[in-house]
Amino acid sequence: HRFLRVADRCLAELADAPDAERDREALAEIVAGKRARLGAVVWNATLGSEALASVFTLDVDALAPERVDGSGSPATGAVRELARRAPRIGDPTLEPERWEAPWQALSGSAFGGRARRSVALLTLALEEVAGHLEAREAERPICPQGVPTDRARILQNVFTRYYAGAVQPYLAAVDGELLPWFAALGTLRAAQEAEAPAGFDAATAPIVDPAVPGGEWSRLVAARDRHTRAWQDLLGRCDLAPARP
């Protein structure tokens, strides 16, 4: 980027310089070659960089429930900044001050992987609970007469204390951090001029695109909805279902 900014100024000066045609042609050829490769350079420096490798790893801890809010802001802001810069590499009006900041922010953040880990664990937990509730009702209803029983009231307390009081707020917080992260990655992908390496989109879309059927986020949404239905069905048969918002 710095070279192209200086080279463009140099070419402008050489345009009016006598006996500079050979120098001008040689420099113009170098500049043209660098600009022709800019798309690949930008790809390797952004979506192909090691700094974004944490998006795909699961070898990290999940996001701590008490520290989810704001945990994705540094990484999301860094990706947004890379997306802003990507199409402007070589633009003489783009000053390179604090050039390393986005990469430094990403290198020091494991948010992508930790968020993936959270999604995986939430999906597993919600599916397991829903499966247990469905199996129990199919085997022997908690409230066969349609009126609350002692077991049903215990389950209602479990629902209120653990799901409504802990799991649901955690799920909402993860949602609040991940959706802007996904949007930022989508913007960075759209800002690329280079063609993606073979298989890149197919491999990464289920991880970073919440709209992909069968993707990680879609499975979490499906698990959440199944879990909600299981509780509503069980508590509803006991006349204990919480009011719908």
Side-chain angles (χ1 to χ4, degrees):
H1 176 74
R2 290 190 178 96
F3 173 84
L4 289 173
R5 294 176 75 228
V6 174
D8 284 340
R9 292 199 299 268
C10 189
L11 283 173
E13 293 178 9
L14 290 175
D16 299 326
D19 302 324
E21 183 176 354
R22 291 182 60 185
D23 292 336
R24 184 172 62 250
E25 290 177 353
L27 181 56
E29 183 178 353
I30 293 172
V31 169
K34 285 190 175 293
R35 289 197 179 280
R37 293 190 294 272
L38 267 182
V41 170
V42 170
W43 179 280
N44 288 337
T46 56
L47 286 176
S49 70
E50 291 185 9
L52 271 174
S54 65
V55 176
F56 306 106
T57 182
L58 284 173
D59 190 23
V60 289
D61 293 331
L63 297 170
E66 66 277 9
R67 293 194 298 272
V68 176
D69 290 340
S71 60
S73 297
T76 298
V79 171
R80 286 173 177 158
E81 179 61 20
L82 291 182
R84 185 186 73 83
R85 294 180 183 187
R88 298 183 61 202
I89 301 300
D91 179 348
T93 65
L94 177 61
E95 294 291 342
E97 66 272 5
R98 297 188 63 197
W99 190 251
E100 298 295 330
W103 288 279
Q104 289 174 349
L106 289 171
S107 296
S109 171
F111 171 75
R114 297 188 68 191
R116 281 192 72 200
R117 186 74 171 171
S118 300
V119 168
L121 293 176
L122 279 166
T123 301
L124 177 63
L126 293 172
E127 287 178 342
E128 285 189 345
V129 171
H132 285 308
L133 293 176
E134 292 163 353
R136 179 64 174 82
E137 280 296 280
E139 177 184 349
R140 186 176 51 169
I142 295 291
C143 299
Q145 305 301 320
V147 295
T149 63
D150 290 343
R151 288 178 180 271
R153 295 191 186 281
I154 291 173
L155 278 176
Q156 184 187 38
N157 290 335
V158 169
F159 174 85
T160 302
R161 179 176 179 181
Y162 293 105
Y163 180 70
V167 177
Q168 198 281 330
Y170 181 54
L171 180 59
V174 170
D175 179 289
E177 297 300 316
L178 259 181
L179 293 185
W181 169 250
F182 290 149
L185 289 171
T187 301
L188 180 57
R189 176 67 184 87
Q192 303 296 318
E193 295 181 2
E195 184 176 349
F200 178 87
D201 288 330
T204 59
I207 300 172
V208 301
D209 187 347
V212 171
E216 293 179 358
W217 187 257
S218 295
R219 292 201 301 272
L220 173 59
V221 171
R224 179 203 64 195
D225 293 346
R226 177 189 175 192
H227 178 270
T228 300
R229 287 194 302 271
W231 276 110
Q232 288 175 340
D233 290 346
L234 187 152
L235 295 177
R237 294 189 187 102
C238 297
D239 196 27
L240 292 172
R244 292 177 181 268

